[in-house]
Amino acid sequence: MREKLKDWGNVILRAAILLLVLFFCCWPIRLCGDSMQPSYNDGDLVLFSRLAGKILGYHVGDVVLFHNEAAGTDTAIIKRIVAVQGDHIQILPEGLFINGQRLEEPYITENTTGIVDMIVPPNSVFVLGDHRSHSFDSRNMGAIALEHIEGKVLMRLFPW
């Protein structure tokens, strides 16, 4: 009996360690909404990592997952980082400009609208959805503090 309890304890401990590793390194999450089309669609299952952002930092082009009270919901939001702290971001009729250079965005299919002319504050990022006309993003809620970002989206798991 003692041996069986020891075996069960070993199995439970290993399962707990595995879940902790998965929770920080790579965790699947199902997306809700169409603000990241065509890159990611409503219902897609993606893999995101809490650890990747902490170790590698956040850069322009990264797709991140965060919660923001300004969005009026407690659901997870994913958006693409287009500017980091200290960057001067401008949205003009001619396009999206970062530090005076037009940002090439092959992943979008429509023009970026809105009026933005700001310097991204320290420890913050400016995020936009890829489907700009259907996206509630930094144009509406402002720059996102790094402390609100939960991790980076690494890849789409389903559908391929």
Side-chain angles (χ1 to χ4, degrees):
M1 179 71 169
R2 187 176 206 160
E3 195 63 36
K4 282 194 178 238
L5 285 175
K6 187 177 180 183
D7 288 344
W8 273 105
N10 197 1
V11 167
I12 291 171
L13 179 64
R14 287 181 183 186
I17 290 171
L18 178 64
L19 282 175
L20 280 173
V21 168
L22 286 175
F23 183 76
F24 286 103
C25 294
C26 53
W27 192 258
I29 189 166
R30 187 161 307 277
L31 302 180
C32 181
D34 63 354
S35 69
M36 286 298 290
Q37 288 179 339
S39 302
Y40 299 98
N41 300 303
D42 186 35
D44 283 358
L45 187 64
V46 297
L47 194 63
F48 95 99
S49 171
R50 289 175 174 85
L51 200 55
K54 304 283 187 227
I55 293 174
L56 304 173
Y58 297 103
H59 308 283
V60 172
D62 288 346
V63 176
V64 294
L65 179 120
F66 62 96
H67 286 86
N68 192 304
E69 298 82 33
T73 179
D74 191 36
T75 58
I77 301 169
I78 73 161
K79 302 290 180 215
R80 187 178 305 274
I81 296 175
V82 296
V84 295
Q85 68 178 0
D87 283 346
H88 180 212
I89 181 165
Q90 294 176 296
I91 297 177
L92 304 170
E94 299 83 30
L96 175 63
F97 292 83
I98 308 298
N99 301 323
Q101 300 291 325
R102 184 183 174 116
L103 184 62
E104 295 301 323
E105 301 176 286
Y107 42 82
I108 66 168
T109 58
E110 59 193 355
N111 292 331
T112 304
T113 59
I115 300 171
V116 174
D117 187 357
M118 67 176 282
I119 306 272
V120 180
N123 299 313
S124 298
V125 294
F126 195 93
V127 296
L128 294 174
D130 290 354
H131 193 186
R132 302 287 159 84
S133 63
H134 289 80
S135 181
F136 188 84
D137 48 37
S138 287
R139 294 173 292 177
N140 309 99
M141 54 184 149
I144 305 301
L146 291 177
E147 65 191 37
H148 292 235
I149 296 178
E150 293 190 26
K152 287 184 183 187
V153 173
L154 301 176
M155 65 181 286
R156 179 190 344 241
L157 290 176
F158 182 81
W160 286 98

